[in-house]
Amino acid sequence: MSKKLIIAIDGPAGSGKSTSAKLVAKRLNYLYIDTGAMYRAVTLFVLRNNLMGKTDEIIQLANKLDIVLNFIDGETNIKVNGEDVSKEIRSFEINSNVSEISAIEGVRKILVKKQQEMGKNGGVVMEGRDITTVVFPNADAKIFITAGIDERAERRAKEFSEKGTLIPIDKVKENLKNRDFIDSHREASPLTKTPDSIEIDTSNTTIDEQVDLILNEVKKIAFKKGIKI
Ligand code: DC
C-alpha cells in the first residue's frame, strides 16, 4: 500500500486556513481535521459548567469529554459525549473565550494526544495553531497561512452575517487581534511559523488560488518522496 502524506497547516484565525485545508483534503481524497473545533468544544462545556478561570476543574472536565470529529457534507461535524455541537461551537461567545481555554497546557496535552492518534496513519490535512510545531513536527508538508488583519476581519464578519449574526467589523477585528495576541504569546505551544514551513499569504488571493498554491507545494514534496497522490 502506498504511503499517504501528513499535511500540517497552521495560521491565525480568518487567514483562509480552514477553507483551503478542506478543499485540499477533498482534492486529495484525504481526511480533513479541524483541531480548532476541538478547543471550541471544550470551551462550550466549560461555559455550560461555569468553569471559566478554574484551571484544574477545566482539565478534569476535558479529560472526561468524548470528542468525536467527522467531516460530513463538506463541514466539520463534532460530537461531544454523543451530542452534536457543530453549530454551537461557532458562536461569538465561544470565539471570545476559546483562546483562554486553549492556553491551558493540560487541555492541550489531552487534545494533542487525540490529534496525533487521528493523523498517525497519514492521508490527513490537519489544521490549527500548533500542528507544524507540536502535533506533527515531522509532517511531510508544513504550511503556514497568513493574511492581513483587515482581510481576516472582513472574512469573519461575512461568515457571521451569513449565519444571521450581524457583528460590527470593529468588534470582529478587536476579537481577532485579541486572539492573535493570546494565541501567539501563550506559554504552551504558541502559534509560530517554523523555519521549514512554507508561508502562503492569502490577503489578495482567491480561494481557488490558495488551494492551487498549497497543492503545488504538496505535489512537489510528494514527488520528492516518491509518493503518488
Ligand atoms: O481555528 P479556530 O479559530 O477554530 O480555533 C479556535 C481557537 O482554538 C483559536 O483561538 C486557538 C485555538 N487553537 C489552538 O490553540 N490550537 C489548535 N491546534 C487549534 C486551535
Side-chain angles (χ1 to χ4, degrees):
M1 205 175 78
S2 71
K3 188 183 173 290
K4 287 188 168 188
L5 301 174
I6 294 178
I7 302 171
I9 304 185
D10 284 328
S15 57
K17 172 174 51 97
S18 307
T19 313
S20 25
K22 261 181 218 170
L23 292 167
V24 168
K26 193 171 170 201
R27 292 268 285 273
L28 298 175
N29 205 14
Y30 275 20
L31 200 66
Y32 163 67
I33 300 175
D34 169 6
T35 59
M38 300 169 79
Y39 290 94
R40 287 169 177 273
V42 174
T43 306
L44 174 67
F45 279 73
V46 168
L47 289 172
R48 280 189 187 172
N49 289 283
N50 276 321
L51 293 178
M52 284 307 286
K54 298 182 183 161
T55 308
D56 290 345
E57 282 100 323
I58 293 172
I59 298 168
Q60 271 175 28
L61 172 77
N63 242 324
K64 278 191 270 175
L65 299 178
D66 174 32
I67 301 177
V68 180
L69 209 57
N70 271 302
F71 194 55
I72 302 175
D73 292 337
E75 294 299 331
T76 293
N77 177 276
I78 184 157
K79 283 191 177 156
V80 180
N81 298 342
E83 177 191 349
D84 188 338
V85 294
S86 314
K87 286 212 168 69
E88 232 180 308
I89 59 160
R90 305 287 166 193
S91 73
F92 195 69
E93 199 196 358
I94 300 288
N95 278 14
S96 308
N97 289 284
V98 65
S99 283
E100 195 177 319
I101 300 306
S102 55
I104 302 171
E105 197 164 1
V107 170
R108 304 200 68 82
K109 265 197 190 143
I110 296 164
L111 296 188
V112 165
K113 207 167 150 218
K114 287 185 205 275
Q115 292 153 9
Q116 288 171 332
E117 189 57 32
M118 286 190 272
K120 68 177 187 206
N121 295 325
V124 292
V125 180
M126 189 176 286
E127 57 110 335
R129 303 292 190 289
D130 61 340
I131 314 305
T132 59
T133 53
V134 176
V135 183
F136 286 112
N138 297 320
D140 300 287
K142 293 165 78 168
I143 315 273
F144 191 84
I145 304 202
T146 54
I149 182 75
D150 289 324
E151 287 83 5
R152 294 196 284 126
E154 259 169 49
R155 286 175 192 159
R156 274 288 141 106
K158 192 164 163 254
E159 275 167 28
F160 278 118
S161 86
E162 280 166 2
K163 281 185 267 171
T165 317
L166 287 177
I167 298 174
I169 189 92
D170 285 350
K171 206 172 163 195
V172 177
K173 207 195 260 190
E174 176 79 24
N175 172 270
L176 280 181
K177 280 188 182 165
N178 226 334
R179 282 170 64 195
D180 282 356
F181 187 84
I182 304 178
D183 293 348
S184 50
H185 288 82
R186 66 186 180 212
E187 244 169 68
S189 351
L191 170 66
T192 172
K193 177 187 166 283
T194 65
D196 58 346
S197 289
I198 298 152
E199 183 166 343
I200 295 179
D201 186 327
T202 67
S203 303
N204 299 303
T205 55
T206 64
I207 291 169
D208 283 346
E209 286 167 343
Q210 290 165 39
V211 173
D212 283 344
L213 284 169
I214 299 172
L215 278 173
N216 280 341
E217 296 297 340
V218 169
K219 278 178 192 158
K220 280 191 247 168
I221 291 165
F223 182 75
K224 271 195 212 150
K225 291 181 176 250
I227 293 171
K228 207 170 166 285
I229 54 170

